[in-house]
Amino acid sequence: MKSQVSHRELVPHLFRQEYAKMTAILCRHFGLKHMEIAEDITSDTFLKASEHWAINGVPENPTAWLYTVAKNKARDYFKRTDVFEKQIMPDLKSGDTEPSEMVSFDDQLISDSQLAMIFAVCHPANSGESQIALALQILCGFSVEEIANAFLSKRDTIKKRLQRARNNLRNTDFQIKTLSTTEIQSRQGTVLKTLYLLFNEGYYSTSGNKFIRKELCSEAIRLMLVLTENPLTNSAQTNALMALMCFQSSRIEARTDENGEVILFDEQDKNLWDMSLIERGIYYLVNATNGKETSKYHLEAGIAYWHTTQHGDKWGNILRLYNQLLLMEYSPITALNRTFAFSKVYGHQMAIAEAEKLGIRESSQYYELLGYLYAQSDKIKAIQYYEAAIKHTKSNTKKATLKREIERLQKIIW
């Protein structure tokens, strides 16, 4: 029986969901020095799916179909290349000559391999930013443009950084292996930053037709859960980041309407918030509070928590946490978010002065914030800022939301 889902919709979705897992498994067998071989086999698998499914329809279990094809392609590669004869064969036990048994894709191995790959790619042979960029590309399926957006950097800069990082890995004799406690702890900060960026790209998608990409959020949380369940990685920062993801995820269903357009925070239906995720967030936030450290994840989790509650000095607490966060690690996005909280405490007019000081003129969020702040006092100016925001965003969903807000203001004026 064939699935009724269109292959044009399904292949990109499965590529996002399974590419990194498949590559991680194959890298266990080829070694990270030959990661391009693993990537090529995975890419060929999805190309074959696109061609085969277009003619024959989507199979009943498309994910299993993909892994079967990948396994067969790997087996065929081993058969016809010197890699199998010279590197793989000597390591096999005598009599164990059936290459099809070499590649396994069971669920546990997929989970372990992907996380092991993230730790392996976060290797000190590269700088911290290069480690994260490479992990996002290889293991999270990010394009060069998406990585550039995550780092607020130019596309060419990221492209060169990735090439250097790959060369460094090829020239370094390392592989996926059991790491020592010291190695795990030294790399954990980079791994957490990678998963943080993975989640953020899902929660605030910077391009394309979707404002939220739930599969990226789910994948980040799945990998974070593995970290919280391992004594070596169950740190205060791990719990704080997990709390942040739970709090943010609790509001996902309320952030867009049935057409996928963005619903601003003030207009969200609080009944759609997932209270079970909020409770899980509180659980992890309590676990993160050991009195010994306060990381950016602690502060961001605190901000996310206050967004989910109506009790106490909500916006005052959020603003104080943003002030601490900016002192700890400045970023333009944090500064913009802090200004929104400032407007809730001190009003739009005072917040306009705060926003204009930032002068982040390449950011659509900067113009969007000014449009929001001017909407009450000067609707013509607000429209101008919203139009500037449209010019600076690549997200089609965000453009539609901004156009809707412009139309609303125009109706009031005329």
Side-chain angles (χ1 to χ4, degrees):
M1 180 180 177
K2 301 274 179 34
S3 169
Q4 299 302 309
V5 180
S6 166
H7 78 280
R8 290 188 178 87
E9 299 174 3
L10 188 59
V11 171
H13 170 72
L14 287 175
F15 183 86
R16 272 289 186 193
Q17 195 170 53
E18 305 297 335
Y19 178 91
K21 301 174 188 176
M22 196 177 291
T23 302
I25 286 285
L26 292 171
C27 277
R28 273 190 178 272
H29 299 281
F30 289 105
L32 287 173
K33 274 194 168 185
H34 305 286
M35 73 174 79
E36 285 86 357
I37 298 172
E39 291 176 309
D40 286 346
I41 288 176
T42 304
S43 296
D44 286 346
T45 298
F46 280 95
L47 179 60
K48 182 172 181 179
S50 181
E51 295 171 347
H52 185 81
W53 296 355
I55 298 172
N56 301 288
V58 178
E60 185 175 1
N61 191 335
T63 302
W65 188 97
L66 287 169
Y67 281 105
T68 298
V69 170
K71 179 177 178 178
N72 290 338
K73 283 182 175 291
R75 180 192 61 195
D76 292 343
Y77 179 87
F78 286 143
K79 279 182 176 180
R80 70 176 182 263
T81 65
D82 288 340
V83 173
F84 178 72
E85 295 296 334
K86 295 178 180 178
Q87 297 181 31
I88 306 298
M89 185 64 79
D91 294 331
L92 295 178
K93 297 179 181 178
S94 59
D96 187 12
T97 58
E98 177 52 55
S100 64
E101 295 301 316
M102 293 179 56
V103 182
S104 172
F105 286 107
D106 63 86
D107 291 341
Q108 185 60 45
L109 188 58
I110 289 171
S111 176
D112 291 347
S113 292
Q114 194 172 2
L115 201 57
M117 271 287 286
I118 292 177
F119 271 94
V121 169
C122 293
H123 190 279
N126 288 312
S127 67
E129 286 193 342
S130 294
Q131 293 172 33
I132 294 168
L134 197 55
L136 288 172
Q137 184 185 54
I138 296 174
L139 299 165
C140 305
F142 276 36
S143 67
V144 173
E145 185 174 358
E146 287 169 339
I147 298 171
N149 289 334
F151 280 100
L152 302 178
S153 187
K154 294 181 179 178
R155 190 178 185 278
D156 287 344
T157 301
I158 294 300
K159 193 172 182 179
K160 292 176 183 177
R161 183 182 298 170
L162 288 167
Q163 188 59 48
R164 285 195 300 269
R166 283 176 175 269
N167 289 336
N168 287 340
L169 288 188
R170 273 194 293 268
N171 296 331
T172 304
D173 185 20
F174 77 105
Q175 56 189 332
I176 299 178
K177 61 180 182 179
T178 302
L179 300 176
S180 68
T181 301
T182 302
E183 286 175 316
I184 289 174
Q185 291 174 345
S186 67
R187 299 183 189 190
Q188 186 171 339
T190 307
V191 171
L192 292 178
K193 181 68 177 291
T194 300
L195 298 182
Y196 171 80
L197 292 175
L198 172 62
F199 182 87
N200 278 357
E201 178 57 27
Y203 198 73
Y204 307 102
S205 184
T206 52
S207 60
N209 297 319
K210 288 186 178 180
F211 178 62
I212 300 172
R213 291 153 72 180
K214 295 179 184 178
E215 74 278 6
L216 298 187
C217 295
S218 297
E219 184 62 10
I221 289 176
R222 184 186 73 79
L223 293 170
M224 283 298 303
L225 189 59
V226 176
L227 293 180
T228 62
E229 292 174 346
N230 190 314
L232 290 177
T233 54
N234 186 29
S235 65
Q237 284 197 43
T238 299
N239 280 275
L241 181 52
M242 187 65 168
L244 170 61
M245 292 183 183
C246 288
F247 288 136
Q248 298 286 62
S249 296
S250 71
R251 296 190 286 115
I252 280 181
E253 297 302 325
R255 295 180 68 227
T256 55
D257 62 19
E258 62 274 10
N259 298 317
E261 292 190 12
V262 182
I263 300 176
L264 300 177
F265 179 82
D266 292 341
E267 301 171 4
Q268 289 177 12
D269 182 355
K270 309 300 188 294
N271 294 321
L272 295 177
W273 291 1
D274 189 329
M275 295 308 299
S276 65
L277 277 173
I278 294 174
E279 290 171 3
R280 294 300 293 173
I282 293 171
Y283 167 81
Y284 286 112
L285 189 55
V286 169
N287 286 348
T289 310
N290 58 15
K292 296 179 182 178
E293 64 174 316
T294 301
S295 67
K296 65 169 287 184
Y297 304 128
H298 285 79
L299 296 176
E300 290 194 35
I303 291 168
Y305 162 75
W306 280 108
H307 273 90
T308 65
T309 183
Q310 302 299 320
H311 306 296
D313 183 16
K314 173 176 178 170
W315 288 107
N317 283 311
I318 290 174
L319 180 59
R320 282 187 285 275
L321 288 168
Y322 269 126
N323 290 339
Q324 293 180 56
L325 186 58
L326 280 173
L327 290 173
M328 181 178 290
E329 182 179 300
Y330 180 86
S331 82
I333 300 302
T334 301
L336 288 170
N337 290 336
R338 181 253 177 200
T339 305
F340 178 82
F342 185 94
S343 74
K344 293 293 188 179
V345 177
Y346 296 107
H348 286 203
Q349 286 305 122
M350 290 184 68
I352 287 170
E354 289 286 306
E356 290 177 339
K357 288 178 189 175
L358 300 176
I360 312 170
R361 304 192 184 282
E362 296 303 313
S363 168
S364 66
Q365 288 180 256
Y366 171 72
Y367 296 107
E368 183 182 355
L369 175 62
L370 282 170
Y372 167 79
L373 295 175
Y374 271 109
Q376 292 180 353
S377 59
D378 190 337
K379 291 177 175 54
I380 297 294
K381 209 165 196 176
I383 289 172
Q384 292 172 347
Y385 278 120
Y386 280 137
E387 288 173 340
I390 290 173
K391 291 179 182 178
H392 284 80
T393 185
K394 298 175 183 177
S395 169
N396 294 329
T397 304
K398 176 63 74 172
K399 286 178 182 178
T401 301
L402 292 168
K403 287 177 181 177
R404 185 183 65 193
E405 188 62 17
I406 289 173
E407 291 171 359
R408 186 186 71 83
L409 292 175
Q410 288 173 334
K411 287 178 181 178
I412 295 174
I413 295 172
W414 296 305

